[in-house]
Amino acid sequence: MLVLGIETSCDETGVALYSQGRGLESHALYSQVALHAEYGGVVPELASRDHVRKLVPLLRTVLADAGRRKEEIQGVAYTAGPGLIGALLTGACAARGLAWSLGVPVLGIHHMEAHLLAPMLEESPPTPPLVALLVSGGHTLLVRVSAVGDYELLGETRDDAVGEAFDKTAKLLGLGYPGGPALARIAVDGNPARHHFPRPMTDRPGLDFSFSGLKTYALHTFRNGPADKDARADIARAFEEAIVDTLVIKCRRALDETQLADLVVAGGVSANQRLRGALSRLAAERGGRVYYPRPEFCTDNGAMVALTGALRMQSGERDDVACRVRPRWPLGELSRPDD
Ligand code: KG4
Ligand code: ZN
């Protein structure tokens, strides 16, 4: 089954073609980063308008790259939530209009399930049961994955998501948007011994997170310390190490509690090299494996939506004619594709 995937939940327009036989046939992405940069964050209305502008050209690109005609598309999958309501609606309407005109089924996909399944686009895909750490700009989730579609929430953030904490801390250090990659870049040259940041909520049992205090800690350290040329890099390094350590501690705990060995790490922050290194060491130490998407599929993309759509539509799942999007959508409400 040849499935077209459309991602428009935030500030990336992603379109891709996936088929069960050939795997990922083509994908195209347009990032709106430059559009939002001058505002220091995503402006929802601008995001929606830009998705509308980019969807059709990207669709033409993926068809041409795969050597396919649009009449060959057998199903259309789009991100139905969670995300920005206006942005979600642009993808939903494009997907539904196209599916209706082609006479093929359409299915709304959960954005975090798509992130979770993204490592399945790689050469040696993970197989459940496993623990997934999903770290994006809007979510921080630890999930027990018993099968595709069978998810149990083990822990989540009580305030800021990890990516959000990166973005806010980067902003107060005067770095650009999106802050995660910018902060990670300067952290490389930071002195790890200069500051020690707290590891929030690691001194008590449980798998929930809290990251909002770290940005405040960074702000105080920045304001009260000397403004030498290394000040930003040293704070970035301490912040990044605190985040990575905290995530590693919680992953170890989740693997212990579930008695599982394998870990999937996905979502924008899974592109972070220090985090990848630390989690690979954790998995190796326990005789398990850690699976990531390739860096370009860590952040939002159409490929993960096309893959998730193919997995679910293959077993007959489709939506009725109502056009639904869900800005808020708990992952635990999903069911297995064949249920
Ligand atoms: O998954 P994603 O593209 O969008 C959401 O679904 O939210 O994640 C975007 C987030 C942003 O907060 C960005 O700063 C963060 O991922 N991010 C990173 C890195 N690359 C992206 N954070 C830390 N280190 C990185 N290398
Ligand atoms: Zn995302």
Side-chain angles (χ1 to χ4, degrees), residues 44-214:
E45 181 60 25
L46 293 183
S48 310
R49 291 183 201 183
D50 212 41
H51 287 310
V52 172
R53 274 192 287 272
K54 296 299 178 333
L55 273 169
V56 173
L58 290 180
L59 171 61
R60 292 211 174 99
T61 302
V62 296
L63 285 168
D65 288 354
R68 296 282 203 173
R69 290 174 301 111
K70 70 176 186 308
E71 291 73 22
E72 291 178 82
I73 296 172
Q74 292 165 304
V76 184
Y78 67 94
T79 300
L84 301 170
I85 180 92
L88 291 169
L89 279 168
T90 64
C93 293
R96 296 198 149 262
L98 182 66
W100 184 77
S101 72
L102 295 172
V104 299
V106 62
L107 185 66
I109 297 299
H110 193 295
H111 182 75
M112 297 314 291
E113 177 177 53
H115 272 304
L116 196 163
L117 299 181
M120 291 191 173
L121 291 161
E122 305 308 326
E123 242 170 43
S124 57
T127 43
L130 49 84
V131 169
L133 172 70
L134 304 180
V135 276
S136 71
H139 295 84
T140 306
L141 307 173
L142 261 172
V143 182
R144 180 200 183 104
V145 179
S146 301
V148 171
D150 191 346
Y151 309 124
E152 181 197 341
L153 186 66
L154 300 171
E156 64 185 326
T157 183
R158 299 204 178 161
D159 40 58
D160 290 353
V162 185
E164 190 179 0
F166 265 100
D167 293 339
K168 288 177 174 172
T169 304
K171 197 170 186 174
L172 66 89
L173 291 177
L175 305 172
Y177 162 84
L183 190 148
R185 255 191 313 276
I186 69 161
V188 174
D189 298 319
N191 173 5
R194 182 156 174 203
H195 308 290
H196 183 82
F197 278 37
R199 275 56 175 155
M201 295 184 67
T202 53
D203 56 352
R204 63 188 102 160
L207 293 169
D208 280 348
F209 305 93
S210 165
F211 293 110
S212 69
L214 276 181

